[in-house]
């Protein structure tokens, strides 16, 4: 089968490249740099070098045998791949004066090869801190951005093309066209369809499980519901035990809603365990985001073990199954050269041990959310299930931020004054941190609040892009909805997860989602996290609204909600929840911010 080989240098987006190539009906496979030459056979028609978190000039940075350039195969270098090709062939790469994260306008300078008949200007998605400052011999500049003079290169004689941006992410508006051009240039087409995956994964499940049974942890979300349907189809309902765990960290009335939804879909092998006390007790006094995720992941396994014991299920006869999808493994550092952004609850050490022992069934682990939805439709699931907004397995556990004391930047006042002088608005750097992803690496930096009595979305988006690109201590920009006047510096209280805090967030979350449904905005929004933060401006904590638009969770933009609707949401939250002193709206894209704050 003709294919494109993707060499993984540790990018968060490597599997996404493979997915997008398959979406264009070309077959693709991934390998490591060390095994690349061994994997190149007569079926390989083209090669893609992925991005990665390293810098090519650093000691120990991943590299590849230069013999690969002598094979005469078309090569496309993406981000780190763009730098590595230049570096290995005699060019020069250094840290960029301005780092680019998020959207940037790409301009074609040379319309040849894969850039032939390509739009002169298009928005592409950047995530880098380095740049090429000297071209290798035989290469020409194919494209540029305002901050990056060499954003793309070409060497037609050697069939090599490189791009600084990530064409594979959904927010690169002409990225699919560029990948299609590369597929056409390689002469590869019509080798991959999702139906092929169903047949392939069904055989893999049968081979792995044999004559044993499967215990599936069901969240009620898209991923686990699709796995439930797939396992029932492949193995039969009598061999699949579905367990839904009420952790005490669910949205309002979530357990009842999930039970009714899955029962209506014919899942009569679903069981429910009410375990609020177990989870909240385990999280008492825990503040660190990574520690919280690990505790929640382990608690799920403890529940599974307890239920198995109660029902006298012999562990030798059962496999554990999860609805893990590829973004979970990517952000946990799931490939040779990638870094950990955050530990997902389904990638805690106990789970990793089960993987090593071959006792974990994860049929969707190579798919992204949009592919999972497509698979669910093929399996006959309703849009009420496959169209649900994603909700993290740890639930509100990753949306209730915890802190023991303020975490201030020493030069916060200086930076706030600098930002005000530059943009004309008041700013406040919050004394807490959130997780982000920049240049394929994890950041744990501060959000900055923007205050204004005007809401010009175009201006706000520009500011939200520029600030994280230029200020390394900041990875999020949020807009204050409850006050246009700069609030006094907040207090940060010693707070961990409690039932009271979970109840407050449940009410705020329910208010927001009811308003979105009433305003017919549910379909426009891909996911809408509502976050509770221990930031006190005089009357209690703060709520952060984080509506985003995405396709595959690998990139995202802040959803453009009408200001009037945001104000209504703010007023209802303040009127109907106790101990809330401020409401904010997250303007940050991914990158530089992850979708969830933790």
């Amino acid at each position: 089968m003709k294919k494109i080989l993707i060499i993984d240098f540790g990018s968060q987006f490597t599997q996404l490249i493979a997915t997008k190539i398959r979406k264009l009906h070309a077959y693709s496979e991934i390998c490591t740099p060390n095994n690349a030459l061994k994997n190149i056979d007569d079926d390989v028609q083209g090669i893609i070098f992925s991005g990665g978190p390293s810098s090519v000039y650093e000691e120990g940075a991943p590299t590849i045998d230069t013999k690969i350039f002598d094979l005469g195969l078309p090569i496309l270098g993406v981000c780190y791949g763009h730098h590595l090709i230049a570096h290995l062939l005699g060019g020069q790469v250094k840290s960029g004066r301005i780092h680019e994260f998020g959207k940037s306008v790409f301009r074609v300078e040379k319309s040849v090869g894969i850039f032939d008949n390509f739009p002169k200007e298009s928005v592409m998605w950047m995530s880098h801190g380095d740049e090429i400052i000297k071209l290798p011999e035989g290469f020409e500049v194919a494209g540029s951005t305002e901050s990056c003079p060499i954003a793309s290169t070409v060497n037609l004689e050697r069939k090599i093309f490189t791009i600084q941006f990530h064409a594979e992410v959904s927010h690169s508006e002409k990225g699919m066209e560029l990948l299609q051009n590369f597929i056409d240039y390689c002469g590869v087409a019509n080798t991959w369809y999702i139906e092929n995956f169903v047949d392939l994964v069904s055989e893999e499940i049968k081979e792995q499980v044999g004559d044993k049974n499967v215990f599936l942890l069901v969240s009620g979300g898209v991923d686990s519901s699709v796995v439930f349907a797939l396992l029932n189809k492949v193995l039969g309902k009598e061999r699949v035990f579905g367990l839904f765990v009420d952790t005490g960290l669910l949205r309002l009335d979530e357990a009842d809603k999930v039970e009714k939804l899955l029962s209506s879909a014919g899942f009569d092998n679903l069981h429910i365990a009410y375990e609020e006390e177990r989870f909240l007790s385990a999280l008492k006094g825990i503040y660190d985001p990574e520690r919280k995720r690990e505790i929640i992941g382990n608690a799920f396994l403890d529940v599974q073990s307890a239920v198995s014991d109660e029902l006298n299920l012999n562990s030798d006869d059962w496999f554990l199954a999860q609805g893990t999808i590829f973004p979970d493994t990517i952000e946990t550092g799931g490939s040779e050269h990638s870094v950990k952004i955050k530990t997902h609850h389904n990638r805690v050490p106990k789970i990793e041990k089960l993987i090593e022992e071959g006792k974990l069934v994860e049929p969707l682990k190579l798919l992204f959310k949009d592919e999972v939805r497509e698979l669910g439709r093929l399996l006959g699931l309703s849009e009420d299930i496959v169209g649900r907004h994603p909700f993290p397995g740890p639930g509100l556990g990753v949306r209730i931020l915890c802190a023991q004391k303020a975490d201030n930047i020493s030069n916060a006042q200086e930076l706030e004054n600098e930002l005000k002088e530059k943009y004309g608005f008041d700013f406040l750097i919050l004394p807490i941190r959130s997780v982000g992803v920049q240049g394929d690496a994890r950041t744990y930096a501060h959000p900055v609040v923007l205050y204004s009595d005007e809401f010009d979305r175009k201006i706000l988006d520009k500011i939200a892009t520029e600030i994280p690109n230029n200020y390394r201590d900041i990875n999020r920009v949020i807009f204050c909805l409850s006050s246009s006047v700069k609030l006094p510096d907040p207090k940060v209280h010693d707070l961990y997860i409690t039932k009271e805090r979970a109840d407050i967030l449940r009410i705020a979350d329910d208010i927001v989602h009811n308003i979105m449904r009433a305003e017919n905005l549910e379909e426009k929004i891909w996911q809408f996290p509502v976050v509770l933060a221990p930031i006190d401006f005089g009357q209690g904590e703060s709520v952060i609204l984080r509506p985003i638009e995405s396709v595959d969770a690998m990139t995202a933009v802040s959803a453009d909600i009408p200001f009037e609707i945001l104000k209504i949401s703010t007023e209802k939250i303040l009127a109907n929840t106790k101990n809330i002193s401020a409401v904010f709206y997250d303007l940050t894209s991914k990158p530089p911010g992850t979708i969830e704050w933790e």
Side-chain angles (χ1 to χ4, degrees), residues 445-462:
H446 295 266
V448 64
V449 180
L450 186 157
Y451 295 92
S452 174
D453 56 4
E454 301 176 4
F455 191 84
D456 186 320
R457 187 62 200 236
K458 188 174 181 180
I459 293 174
L460 294 176
D461 283 345
K462 182 175 183 293

Side-chain angles (χ1 to χ4, degrees), residues 503-560:
D503 286 340
I504 291 170
L505 183 53
R506 265 188 276 272
I507 293 170
D509 177 89
D510 192 59
I511 288 169
V512 169
H513 283 88
N514 284 337
I515 291 172
M516 294 304 114
R517 281 189 287 272
E519 297 294 335
N520 296 315
L521 291 171
E522 282 277 284
E523 291 186 6
K524 172 186 173 67
I525 303 164
W526 192 81
Q527 189 177 16
F528 199 150
V530 179
V531 179
L532 184 67
I535 309 167
D536 183 0
F537 289 94
Q539 299 179 37
E541 301 193 63
S542 296
V543 166
I544 301 150
L545 308 183
R546 175 62 166 153
I548 61 101
E549 295 175 17
S550 184
V551 173
D552 44 44
M554 296 310 302
T555 59
V557 295
S558 173
D560 188 2

Side-chain angles (χ1 to χ4, degrees), residues 144-251:
S144 62
T145 71
E146 183 178 354
S147 303
C148 186
I150 307 178
S152 179
T153 74
V154 59
N155 184 324
L156 276 182
E157 184 179 349
R158 303 188 75 167
K159 303 178 186 176
I160 299 175
F161 307 91
T162 75
I163 53 175
Q164 175 66 81
F165 52 86
H166 288 277
E168 68 273 21
V169 304
S170 59
H171 289 96
S172 285
E173 63 180 15
K174 296 297 181 181
M176 289 295 273
E177 285 89 334
L178 195 63
L179 292 177
Q180 182 66 66
N181 288 353
F182 185 68
I183 288 169
D184 293 343
Y185 190 84
C186 295
V188 181
N190 299 320
T191 55
W192 179 258
Y193 295 90
I194 192 67
E195 289 83 356
N196 302 135
F197 177 81
V198 176
D199 295 337
L200 178 65
V201 78
S202 295
E203 290 305 313
E204 288 178 351
I205 291 170
K206 291 176 183 177
E207 183 178 346
Q208 181 182 4
V209 174
D211 59 356
K212 296 184 180 181
N213 303 316
V214 175
F215 193 118
L216 172 66
L217 293 170
V218 182
S219 71
V222 179
D223 308 328
S224 63
S225 297
V226 171
V227 171
F228 207 5
L230 182 62
L231 291 175
N232 282 342
K233 173 184 171 64
V234 175
L235 301 176
K237 291 182 180 180
E238 67 281 357
R239 296 178 60 192
V240 182
F241 185 96
L243 180 68
F244 177 85
V245 182
D246 185 342
T247 63
L249 300 170
L250 301 176
R251 291 173 290 194

Side-chain angles (χ1 to χ4, degrees), residues 380-400:
L381 294 179
S382 69
E383 283 300 318
D384 287 339
I385 295 176
V386 299
R388 293 196 86 199
H389 280 191
F391 187 64
L396 303 181
V398 295
R399 295 180 180 177
I400 300 173

